[in-house]
Amino acid sequence: MSVTEVRHPLVRHKLGLLRDVETDTEMFRRLVNELTLLLTYEATKDIALEQVEVETPLERTQAERIPGKKVAVCPILRAGMGMLDGVLSLIPVARVGFIGLYRDEETLQPVEYFVKLPADIADRNVLLLDPMLATGNSTAAAVDTVKRAGATQITLIALIAAPEGIANIQEQHPDLNVVVASIDARLNEKGYIVPGLGDAGDRLYGTK
Ligand code: URA
């Protein structure tokens, strides 16, 4: 499994603003969008290109492009939805799948309530979106879901990960790639990442 913590100054700066309890919902959404865009840049760095010919104003030349049938982006509901536009603004041709999971607050285990994936997901690079890789149980369940549908190349884009979640995923899905803005200190007894940013869904949607 590869885990990349993106150390770019823009990412560090925006992450600091995102963590701040004083950051309001509107700004929080905007920062999630911008951070996802920056992480997508890293997450797609090895994507295969095809050669094409284009006519510049001066002459014909070889150029490269991402083939149409390449990417499926799958937010894990609900907080992953806050990251979707960030990916689509860079890869507008991506197909979108949805994986609905909620965390049972007592067992901390994921419960799947909705899945809708592109029919040809097996032919695509899958970008799973979930802002918080906490226990890793939801991520593992989402990876199981896309693997059952035939996906083989899977990358999780997350904003913050806990070391415990990374270890859990490493054990269950050693073939997963993870791109994250920060690996934080630990999980607390309620399954929150510390220092973290609180409940990402609540902060994105203004719920409590
Ligand atoms: N989910 C969140 O939104 N925040 C955490 O810290 C852990 C899981």
Side-chain angles (χ1 to χ4, degrees):
M1 180 168 104
S2 80
V3 180
T4 306
E5 188 185 32
V6 178
R7 305 293 311 170
H8 193 286
L10 280 172
V11 171
R12 318 297 342 138
H13 174 78
K14 289 176 192 296
L15 185 64
L17 294 173
L18 193 74
R19 290 184 190 277
D20 190 336
V21 69
E22 299 297 334
T23 297
D24 66 16
T25 301
E26 185 187 359
M27 176 63 111
F28 192 89
R29 270 189 214 141
R30 187 172 346 143
L31 288 164
V32 168
N33 182 64
E34 291 171 355
L35 277 162
T36 305
L37 204 143
L38 293 166
L39 297 178
T40 301
Y41 183 76
E42 174 68 26
T44 52
K45 73 179 185 336
D46 294 325
I47 219 162
L49 292 167
E50 66 184 11
Q51 297 292 319
V52 290
E53 276 208 347
V54 297
E55 187 91 37
T56 80
L58 302 178
E59 63 176 24
R60 281 192 85 69
T61 189
Q62 285 289 315
E64 292 160 322
R65 72 173 173 206
I66 296 174
K69 217 176 177 184
K70 217 46 209 156
V71 177
V73 51
C74 300
I76 301 174
L77 307 181
R78 72 181 162 145
M81 281 300 290
M83 302 171 75
L84 181 58
D85 284 349
V87 180
L88 291 180
S89 59
L90 283 183
I91 318 173
V93 296
R95 294 290 183 267
V96 181
F98 299 91
I99 301 172
L101 294 172
Y102 68 87
R103 186 167 65 155
D104 184 306
E105 291 303 332
E106 276 175 17
T107 64
L108 302 183
Q109 292 305 309
V111 182
E112 195 174 273
Y113 65 90
F114 180 76
V115 175
K116 184 80 186 166
L117 301 174
D120 59 357
I121 196 166
D123 303 329
R124 293 176 179 269
N125 281 43
V126 175
L127 299 177
L128 284 179
L129 307 180
D130 194 354
M132 308 301 274
L133 171 53
T135 62
N137 293 335
S138 304
T139 301
V143 175
D144 281 335
T145 298
V146 295
K147 281 186 175 173
R148 271 198 308 275
T152 54
Q153 286 181 296
I154 309 163
T155 300
L156 170 74
I157 304 178
L159 300 179
I160 300 182
E164 296 89 335
I166 291 175
N168 184 6
I169 289 294
Q170 167 80 61
E171 204 173 299
Q172 298 195 52
H173 294 291
D175 51 348
L176 183 72
N177 300 310
V178 177
V179 174
V180 66
S182 175
I183 300 169
D184 274 12
R186 63 186 171 84
L187 282 182
N188 72 10
E189 63 291 346
K190 291 191 170 150
Y192 280 88
I193 301 175
V194 179
L197 49 72
D199 188 300
D202 283 347
R203 296 200 63 188
L204 271 166
Y205 304 117
T207 49
K208 270 273 170 340

